[in-house]
Amino acid sequence: GAGVSQSPRYKVAKRGQDVALRCDPISGHVSLFWYQQALGQGPEFLTYFQNEAQLDKSGLPSDRFFAERPEGSVSTLKIQRTQQEDSAVYLCASSLGGALHQETQYFGPGTRLLVL
Amino acid sequence: SQQGEEDPQALSIQEGENATMNCSYKTSINNLQWYRQNSGRGLVHLILIRSNEREKHSGRLRVTLDTSKKSSSLLITASRAADTASYFCATDPLNQGGKLIFGQGTELSVKP
């Protein structure tokens, strides 16, 4: 079956532009996570959804970052007024059950964002 | 901030040799997972070991977990050039809602 997909795969934005990154999780997966990976680093947690509920947004670096999953499937990560330090790969992951199930997270290919 | 620390940061070996990577972490966990990432690609899940398990095998992979030392190791036996990638350990800390905390990774190069 299809894995996690993300679009666009690459995005170049001018400083100050707004961007929207999309994640299509594996069908039927309850949990969805967003991570940010800077060059040469491991991914860092941004936010977590269980169905449509955003249960944890403690990793969002500023109020310019906003995520939603209105129908409990597709999710969008929006970054307003992008800054150069936002340049990174944004990874989406999904897992079948809720957080207490301790299940494997399946990652998408990521969106590589470059802010000029 | 990232919880895990991996050692070594980079490892270069010949095809056929074994590769060992280590991971240390700071807080109590539900489980620990190892992922592989090829350059410019997403993360591929390798293995999950729960906090009540000590060792797990999958093909050429062997993972150990020592919760008393808060450490884990990943052994890849009979390495191949195709194993060249970055390897990350990720912990699922207790009472943190399932989010994963990643280390900085070990960059493995397997030379033919």
Side-chain angles (χ1 to χ4, degrees):
Chain A
V4 178
S5 61
Q6 293 185 245
S7 61
R9 291 292 313 276
Y10 302 92
K11 176 70 178 177
V12 179
K14 292 183 179 178
R15 189 160 56 94
Q17 269 187 327
D18 297 349
V19 298
L21 312 179
R22 176 188 170 107
C23 172
D24 282 83
I26 294 171
S27 179
H29 276 200
V30 168
S31 295
L32 186 146
F33 300 82
W34 283 98
Y35 295 84
Q36 180 190 59
Q37 186 176 23
L39 190 64
Q41 302 292 315
E44 292 202 4
F45 169 80
L46 293 176
T47 187
Y48 161 62
F49 290 86
Q50 183 170 305
N51 296 308
E52 69 279 1
Q54 189 175 20
L55 299 186
D56 187 346
K57 52 182 180 179
S58 62
L60 296 176
S62 78
D63 59 7
R64 297 185 295 102
F65 286 71
F66 171 77
E68 60 183 4
R69 194 186 185 197
E71 297 178 359
S73 55
V74 171
S75 177
T76 303
L77 176 67
K78 296 178 179 177
I79 309 173
Q80 296 177 323
R81 304 180 303 282
T82 52
Q83 304 294 314
Q84 287 185 323
E85 61 262 29
D86 300 335
S87 296
V89 176
Y90 290 86
L91 296 164
C92 175
S94 70
S95 63
L96 181 59
L100 295 179
H101 288 74
Q102 294 190 46
E103 292 170 340
T104 297
Q105 292 185 23
Y106 295 91
F107 281 78
T111 293
R112 187 176 296 272
L113 173 65
L114 177 62
V115 181
L116 301 176
Chain B
S1 62
Q2 293 179 346
Q3 173 179 230
E5 292 185 4
E6 293 183 61
D7 165 53
Q9 290 190 2
L11 179 61
S12 182
I13 58 174
Q14 294 294 131
E15 210 165 26
E17 294 180 338
N18 296 341
T20 300
M21 289 160 266
N22 302 296
C23 168
S24 61
Y25 57 93
K26 296 176 184 173
T27 62
S28 297
I29 60 173
N30 293 309
N31 62 69
L32 184 145
Q33 303 180 37
W34 285 90
Y35 287 84
R36 185 185 75 217
Q37 186 176 42
N38 290 83
S39 180
R41 302 283 187 90
L43 291 157
V44 174
H45 183 262
L46 296 177
I47 201 163
L48 180 153
I49 185 165
R50 301 190 189 281
S51 60
N52 61 353
E53 296 176 310
R54 291 297 166 257
E55 188 170 312
K56 209 161 181 181
H57 297 254
S58 176
R60 294 184 295 113
L61 306 181
R62 172 178 168 254
V63 168
T64 63
L65 179 64
D66 186 336
T67 53
S68 66
K69 294 181 179 178
K70 292 187 168 58
S71 67
S72 174
S73 68
L74 170 68
L75 169 67
I76 304 174
T77 60
S79 64
R80 305 166 182 168
D83 295 329
T84 295
S86 293
Y87 291 81
F88 294 92
C89 71
T91 54
D92 175 359
L94 285 177
N95 304 317
Q96 292 289 312
K99 66 186 177 188
L100 295 178
I101 308 297
F102 284 83
Q104 290 192 321
T106 293
E107 194 171 327
L108 174 65
S109 174
V110 181
K111 300 183 178 177

